[in-house]
Amino acid sequence: MLPAGHRLRRREDFARAARGPRSGSRLLVVHVRASQPTVPQSRVGFVVSKAVGNAVTRNRVKRRLRAIVAGLLPLLPPAHDVVVRANPPAADAGYTELETETRRLVQAACDRAGVRA
């Protein structure tokens, strides 16, 4: 599970991170941006809109993404915020496909931001 200190919660934090460099595919879009100086660890937020599907489908996608990103926490750059936005095709993707895309897009977004993941 994703520890509480590593979660984005406030709207302002999501908005700030969404203005950072991004990388996307048909399944996901990942944004990375340096966080506030008072936050030493990386934080992650998830956006899964109603376009992805009904509540059961959205929650399944969120659970999968949280589990995937929890395994990536040691690889994320410190003091950066990451936002993972699911596109509608993510509802039909398998776990391994989501994991592969998430890893690739996080690395690509970090490269664009000029940080090492």
Side-chain angles (χ1 to χ4, degrees):
M1 203 61 188
L2 198 60
H6 288 278
R7 285 186 278 188
L8 281 178
R9 296 171 189 240
R10 294 183 16 221
R11 178 183 175 99
E12 300 84 31
D13 294 334
F14 274 89
R16 187 180 309 107
R19 289 191 300 267
R22 71 175 183 216
S23 186
S25 71
R26 75 178 185 87
L27 297 179
L28 304 168
V29 177
V30 176
H31 300 264
V32 175
R33 184 160 183 177
S35 104
Q36 298 173 344
T38 59
V39 181
Q41 74 270 10
S42 57
R43 299 183 302 172
V44 183
F46 302 94
V47 178
V48 183
S49 74
K50 286 187 179 181
V52 173
N54 63 21
V56 172
T57 302
R58 291 192 312 269
N59 286 330
R60 183 180 66 234
V61 170
K62 282 187 278 192
R63 279 193 309 272
R64 287 178 174 178
L65 290 173
R66 276 196 304 265
I68 290 165
V69 172
L72 293 177
L73 279 179
L75 304 176
L76 295 178
H80 279 73
D81 292 338
V82 177
V83 172
V84 179
R85 181 170 45 95
N87 291 328
D92 299 323
Y95 184 88
T96 55
E97 186 179 7
L98 278 176
E99 182 176 28
T100 303
E101 279 298 296
T102 304
R103 285 181 180 274
R104 185 180 70 77
L105 293 174
V106 165
Q107 182 64 51
C110 287
D111 290 345
R112 288 184 184 192
V115 294
R116 188 171 175 167

